[in-house]
Structures are given as structure tokens and as C-alpha cells.
Short mmCIF file of all heavy atoms in Angstrom, two decimals:
data_model
loop_
_atom_site.label_atom_id
_atom_site.label_comp_id
_atom_site.label_asym_id
_atom_site.label_seq_id
_atom_site.Cartn_x
_atom_site.Cartn_y
_atom_site.Cartn_z
N VAL C 1 24.85 44.34 54.06
CA VAL C 1 24.81 43.03 53.52
C VAL C 1 25.44 43.02 52.23
O VAL C 1 25.13 43.82 51.38
CB VAL C 1 23.38 42.53 53.42
CG1 VAL C 1 23.29 41.07 52.80
CG2 VAL C 1 22.61 42.63 54.76
N ASP C 2 26.48 42.11 52.07
CA ASP C 2 27.04 41.94 50.71
C ASP C 2 26.68 40.68 50.15
O ASP C 2 26.62 39.54 50.87
CB ASP C 2 28.64 41.93 50.92
CG ASP C 2 29.21 43.34 51.31
OD1 ASP C 2 28.70 44.35 50.78
OD2 ASP C 2 30.07 43.53 52.11
N SER C 3 26.40 40.56 48.78
CA SER C 3 26.05 39.33 48.21
C SER C 3 27.13 38.95 47.15
O SER C 3 27.73 39.82 46.47
CB SER C 3 24.66 39.56 47.53
OG SER C 3 24.33 38.40 46.80
N ALA C 4 27.33 37.67 47.01
CA ALA C 4 28.33 37.20 46.12
C ALA C 4 27.83 35.82 45.61
O ALA C 4 27.27 35.06 46.31
CB ALA C 4 29.72 36.98 46.67
N ALA C 5 27.93 35.71 44.19
CA ALA C 5 27.45 34.45 43.61
C ALA C 5 28.20 34.21 42.36
O ALA C 5 28.64 35.25 41.70
CB ALA C 5 26.00 34.27 43.27
N SER C 6 28.51 33.06 41.86
CA SER C 6 29.24 32.78 40.71
C SER C 6 28.18 32.78 39.52
O SER C 6 27.55 31.69 39.39
CB SER C 6 29.94 31.40 40.78
OG SER C 6 30.71 31.16 39.60
N ILE C 7 28.11 33.83 38.83
CA ILE C 7 27.22 33.89 37.61
C ILE C 7 28.07 34.37 36.48
O ILE C 7 28.43 35.41 36.34
CB ILE C 7 26.05 34.93 37.94
CG1 ILE C 7 25.34 34.55 39.18
CG2 ILE C 7 25.12 35.11 36.72
CD1 ILE C 7 24.24 35.51 39.48
N SER C 8 28.30 33.38 35.49
CA SER C 8 29.27 33.61 34.42
C SER C 8 28.50 34.15 33.27
O SER C 8 29.12 34.66 32.39
CB SER C 8 30.06 32.42 34.10
OG SER C 8 29.14 31.28 33.83
N GLN C 9 27.22 33.88 33.12
CA GLN C 9 26.62 34.19 31.76
C GLN C 9 26.21 35.66 31.65
O GLN C 9 25.83 36.32 32.64
CB GLN C 9 25.18 33.40 31.74
CG GLN C 9 24.43 33.69 30.36
CD GLN C 9 23.53 32.68 30.27
OE1 GLN C 9 23.42 31.63 30.85
NE2 GLN C 9 22.52 33.00 29.29
N SER C 10 26.54 36.22 30.52
CA SER C 10 26.26 37.58 30.19
C SER C 10 24.76 37.70 29.94
O SER C 10 24.10 36.84 29.68
CB SER C 10 27.04 38.13 28.95
OG SER C 10 26.58 37.33 27.83
N GLY C 11 24.28 38.95 29.97
CA GLY C 11 22.85 39.20 29.76
C GLY C 11 21.98 38.99 31.07
O GLY C 11 20.81 38.85 30.91
N ALA C 12 22.61 38.64 32.16
CA ALA C 12 21.80 38.31 33.36
C ALA C 12 21.04 39.67 33.80
O ALA C 12 21.41 40.75 33.63
CB ALA C 12 22.77 37.97 34.56
N GLY C 13 19.80 39.39 34.41
CA GLY C 13 19.01 40.54 34.85
C GLY C 13 19.51 41.15 36.05
O GLY C 13 20.55 40.82 36.71
N ARG C 14 18.77 42.35 36.41
CA ARG C 14 19.22 43.11 37.54
C ARG C 14 19.30 42.33 38.84
O ARG C 14 20.12 42.55 39.70
CB ARG C 14 18.30 44.33 37.64
CG ARG C 14 18.44 45.24 36.47
CD ARG C 14 17.45 46.33 36.51
NE ARG C 14 17.64 47.14 37.65
CZ ARG C 14 16.57 47.88 38.32
NH1 ARG C 14 15.39 47.79 37.82
NH2 ARG C 14 16.85 48.56 39.33
N GLU C 15 18.29 41.51 38.96
CA GLU C 15 18.19 40.77 40.19
C GLU C 15 19.40 39.83 40.42
O GLU C 15 19.99 39.69 41.42
CB GLU C 15 16.95 39.91 40.36
CG GLU C 15 15.72 40.72 40.48
CD GLU C 15 14.46 39.82 40.74
OE1 GLU C 15 14.42 38.79 40.17
OE2 GLU C 15 13.57 40.26 41.47
N LEU C 16 19.78 39.20 39.27
CA LEU C 16 20.95 38.28 39.25
C LEU C 16 22.24 39.02 39.48
O LEU C 16 23.19 38.63 40.05
CB LEU C 16 21.01 37.40 38.07
CG LEU C 16 19.91 36.29 38.05
CD1 LEU C 16 20.05 35.55 36.69
CD2 LEU C 16 20.13 35.36 39.25
N GLU C 17 22.25 40.44 38.93
CA GLU C 17 23.47 41.14 39.12
C GLU C 17 23.59 41.52 40.67
O GLU C 17 24.65 41.58 41.10
CB GLU C 17 23.29 42.49 38.39
CG GLU C 17 23.60 42.38 36.89
CD GLU C 17 25.04 41.89 36.61
OE1 GLU C 17 26.01 42.39 37.32
OE2 GLU C 17 25.28 40.94 35.80
N PHE C 18 22.43 41.68 41.30
CA PHE C 18 22.57 41.87 42.81
C PHE C 18 23.26 40.62 43.43
O PHE C 18 24.03 40.74 44.38
CB PHE C 18 21.21 42.12 43.36
CG PHE C 18 21.24 42.18 44.92
CD1 PHE C 18 21.70 43.23 45.57
CD2 PHE C 18 20.91 41.09 45.63
CE1 PHE C 18 21.68 43.42 46.95
CE2 PHE C 18 20.92 41.06 47.00
CZ PHE C 18 21.34 42.27 47.74
N LEU C 19 22.77 39.44 43.12
CA LEU C 19 23.30 38.24 43.68
C LEU C 19 24.74 37.99 43.34
O LEU C 19 25.56 37.53 44.15
CB LEU C 19 22.61 37.07 43.12
CG LEU C 19 21.09 36.92 43.51
CD1 LEU C 19 20.50 35.63 42.93
CD2 LEU C 19 20.90 36.88 45.03
N ARG C 20 25.20 38.49 42.16
CA ARG C 20 26.65 38.38 41.81
C ARG C 20 27.53 39.33 42.58
O ARG C 20 28.54 38.91 43.06
CB ARG C 20 26.72 38.81 40.28
CG ARG C 20 28.22 38.53 39.74
CD ARG C 20 28.52 39.41 38.45
NE ARG C 20 27.47 39.31 37.52
CZ ARG C 20 27.40 38.69 36.43
NH1 ARG C 20 28.44 37.72 36.22
NH2 ARG C 20 26.41 38.71 35.47
N ASN C 21 27.09 40.60 42.77
CA ASN C 21 28.01 41.57 43.53
C ASN C 21 27.19 42.70 43.97
O ASN C 21 27.43 43.79 43.54
CB ASN C 21 29.11 42.08 42.52
CG ASN C 21 30.16 42.83 43.28
OD1 ASN C 21 30.33 42.69 44.45
ND2 ASN C 21 30.89 43.63 42.52
N GLY C 22 26.20 42.48 44.83
CA GLY C 22 25.31 43.58 45.22
C GLY C 22 25.58 43.88 46.81
O GLY C 22 26.24 43.15 47.50
N ARG C 23 24.93 44.94 47.21
CA ARG C 23 25.10 45.33 48.65
C ARG C 23 23.78 45.96 49.10
O ARG C 23 23.04 46.59 48.26
CB ARG C 23 26.25 46.33 48.84
CG ARG C 23 26.13 47.58 48.05
CD ARG C 23 27.36 48.47 48.38
NE ARG C 23 27.24 49.23 49.50
CZ ARG C 23 28.08 50.26 49.91
NH1 ARG C 23 29.15 50.54 49.10
NH2 ARG C 23 27.89 50.98 50.96
N LEU C 24 23.49 45.87 50.38
CA LEU C 24 22.29 46.45 50.99
C LEU C 24 22.85 47.15 52.26
O LEU C 24 23.14 46.48 53.15
CB LEU C 24 21.25 45.29 51.21
CG LEU C 24 19.96 45.77 51.84
CD1 LEU C 24 19.19 46.65 50.99
CD2 LEU C 24 19.14 44.62 52.33
N ASP C 25 22.74 48.48 52.28
CA ASP C 25 23.04 49.16 53.43
C ASP C 25 21.79 49.44 54.20
O ASP C 25 20.76 49.70 53.62
CB ASP C 25 23.75 50.49 53.09
CG ASP C 25 25.06 50.37 52.37
OD1 ASP C 25 25.77 49.47 52.81
OD2 ASP C 25 25.35 51.10 51.42
N SER C 26 21.93 49.47 55.57
CA SER C 26 20.71 49.59 56.45
C SER C 26 21.08 50.46 57.64
O SER C 26 22.20 50.52 58.03
CB SER C 26 20.14 48.28 56.85
OG SER C 26 20.98 47.71 57.79
N TRP C 27 20.09 51.11 58.13
CA TRP C 27 20.23 51.85 59.41
C TRP C 27 18.92 51.54 60.25
O TRP C 27 17.96 51.19 59.76
CB TRP C 27 20.33 53.40 59.21
CG TRP C 27 19.12 54.10 58.74
CD1 TRP C 27 18.60 54.03 57.48
CD2 TRP C 27 18.22 54.75 59.56
NE1 TRP C 27 17.40 54.90 57.48
CE2 TRP C 27 17.20 55.27 58.75
CE3 TRP C 27 18.25 55.11 60.93
CZ2 TRP C 27 16.14 55.96 59.27
CZ3 TRP C 27 17.10 55.88 61.50
CH2 TRP C 27 16.13 56.30 60.61
N GLY C 28 19.03 51.72 61.55
CA GLY C 28 17.88 51.42 62.38
C GLY C 28 17.89 52.33 63.59
O GLY C 28 18.88 52.93 63.97
N ALA C 29 16.61 52.60 64.03
CA ALA C 29 16.44 53.43 65.13
C ALA C 29 15.29 52.92 66.00
O ALA C 29 14.30 52.30 65.53
CB ALA C 29 16.14 54.85 64.78
N GLY C 30 15.38 53.11 67.26
CA GLY C 30 14.32 52.47 68.15
C GLY C 30 14.75 52.74 69.65
O GLY C 30 15.55 53.58 69.96
N GLY C 31 14.24 51.84 70.41
CA GLY C 31 14.62 51.94 71.87
C GLY C 31 14.33 50.62 72.67
O GLY C 31 13.79 49.63 72.07
N SER C 32 14.71 50.62 73.91
CA SER C 32 14.47 49.58 74.77
C SER C 32 13.95 50.09 76.12
O SER C 32 14.26 51.24 76.56
CB SER C 32 15.76 48.74 74.99
OG SER C 32 16.25 48.27 73.68
N LEU C 33 13.29 49.22 76.82
CA LEU C 33 12.87 49.57 78.19
C LEU C 33 13.17 48.38 79.09
O LEU C 33 12.86 47.22 78.85
CB LEU C 33 11.34 49.82 78.32
CG LEU C 33 10.84 50.35 79.60
CD1 LEU C 33 11.42 51.72 79.95
CD2 LEU C 33 9.29 50.48 79.68
#
């Protein structure tokens, strides 16, 4: 998952930094019948 947002103000917190240019990699395992 890639996140992008227009956040121009400096001093933004870590959560807003994720919204500006963050990523979330994932993996999954399981099965079907």
C-alpha cells in the first residue's frame, strides 16, 4: 500500500509523514477448501 497526500507544512508528525509518502508492505498465508 502506497500513501500520498499534499502536506506542505513543516513539523508534521509521524502519522502525517506516513500520509505524505508512506508505504505498508504485507504478506499473507492461508488456504482454501
Side-chain angles (χ1 to χ4, degrees):
V1 180
D2 291 321
S3 177
S6 178
I7 301 176
S8 59
Q9 181 165 342
S10 62
R14 294 172 61 203
E15 289 185 330
L16 290 177
E17 282 299 317
F18 172 82
L19 294 180
R20 189 206 309 265
N21 187 25
R23 61 183 276 190
L24 178 67
D25 295 318
S26 69
W27 72 282
S32 305
L33 188 63

